[in-house]
Amino acid sequence: MIDILLLCDDLWHPAEVIELGIKPLMNLYNFTVIKTAKDILTPEMIAKYPVIICCKGNAVNSSNTSPWFEEGVTEVCPKEFEEYVRKGGGFLSLHSGNTSKEGDAYTDFTGNYFIGHPPRCTVDVKVTASHPIVDTVRDFTVRDEHYNIKLTAPDAAIFLKTFSENGGEQIGGYTRNMGTGHLCVLTPGHTLSVWQQEDFKQLLCNAINWCAGII
């Protein structure tokens, strides 16, 4: 099984959703769940994992909204994540992982910044380009937060878009090759019901496997 470091827990995205969401996948992957990443991660630690999934914004945890990333204090900041990927690691920035602001270091790393979202609504998720991540994924519909992100990376390969009545057309997923590693961004995933949706689970597994270099 692939060892995965899963980072989660912030004010608007409690870890419980993610922990329940990954339960059906525990026979496929070995997850290490970290909530207070600020005081746990080191470059040596993250190097042991072939894939990192980030499902949290720049907050210490759900009860502490202070910034997670503090230069000179936090040992693993976005630049350390980028070094990890460039050396061959796989990184999946999922839903709330994509809530950085314009000009943030995490935005420079992932290639997008967060604009906002309408109230929770029906979101159509559609494959828009050929990619190994979506080779076995059908278009699907979920009730979710419909994220609007601004793409800043010119090398992003978009393969997924999302649509809603109030949110219009938005980017749902893209990839970047960085050094010898892989980075993937997916925007759906706010509620447990999304994580439990079979097509989303297939999308998530494919994204993990692509980040790991398996597909």
Side-chain angles (χ1 to χ4, degrees):
M1 292 196 296
I2 301 173
D3 291 327
I4 298 174
L5 182 62
L6 196 156
L7 313 176
C8 61
D9 203 42
D10 65 48
L11 180 63
W12 302 110
H13 306 90
E16 185 178 13
V17 172
I18 310 303
E19 291 175 313
L20 291 172
I22 62 174
K23 274 192 173 182
L25 307 180
M26 287 184 174
N27 62 326
L28 300 174
Y29 307 105
N30 181 29
F31 293 99
T32 299
V33 177
I34 299 293
K35 301 172 186 177
T36 309
K38 183 183 186 75
D39 299 323
I40 296 176
L41 302 189
T42 64
E44 295 76 19
M45 178 184 180
I46 66 174
K48 297 177 181 178
Y49 293 86
V51 176
I52 297 172
I53 302 176
C54 181
C55 301
K56 65 184 281 141
N58 187 13
V60 173
N61 53 43
S62 58
S63 60
N64 185 344
T65 59
S66 298
W68 165 17
F69 303 121
E70 286 189 84
E71 195 68 37
V73 176
T74 311
E75 292 193 50
V76 173
C77 289
K79 68 177 183 180
E80 281 75 32
F81 284 139
E82 182 169 347
E83 291 172 4
Y84 158 85
V85 175
R86 291 193 177 279
K87 292 178 181 178
F91 195 98
L92 173 57
S93 187
L94 177 62
H95 192 64
S96 55
N98 304 295
T99 53
S100 59
K101 299 176 181 178
E102 184 176 7
D104 285 356
Y106 192 85
T107 286
D108 293 338
F109 166 53
T110 59
N112 78 81
Y113 63 85
F114 182 65
I115 296 176
H117 64 78
R120 195 180 301 178
C121 60
T122 299
V123 180
D124 295 320
V125 182
K126 298 185 178 182
V127 175
T128 56
S130 177
H131 194 283
I133 291 177
V134 289
D135 276 353
T136 57
V137 175
R138 304 173 300 179
D139 295 347
F140 60 95
T141 299
V142 289
R143 185 167 175 80
D144 201 7
E145 286 184 343
H146 189 199
Y147 269 24
N148 179 0
I149 60 171
K150 175 67 175 180
L151 193 64
T152 60
D155 61 338
I158 300 170
F159 60 84
L160 200 71
K161 289 192 176 180
T162 53
F163 303 82
S164 73
E165 183 176 350
N166 293 327
E169 175 183 326
Q170 305 297 340
I171 296 170
Y174 66 83
T175 58
R176 299 179 68 192
N177 294 314
M178 305 176 69
T180 57
H182 295 150
L183 182 145
C184 178
V185 164
L186 294 175
T187 62
H190 183 76
T191 66
L192 178 59
S193 63
V194 176
W195 283 74
Q196 293 175 332
Q197 210 271 0
E198 290 300 323
D199 297 297
F200 178 81
K201 285 194 288 186
Q202 184 65 63
L203 176 67
L204 176 59
C205 289
N206 287 0
I208 291 172
N209 293 341
W210 182 83
C211 287
I214 294 176
I215 62 173

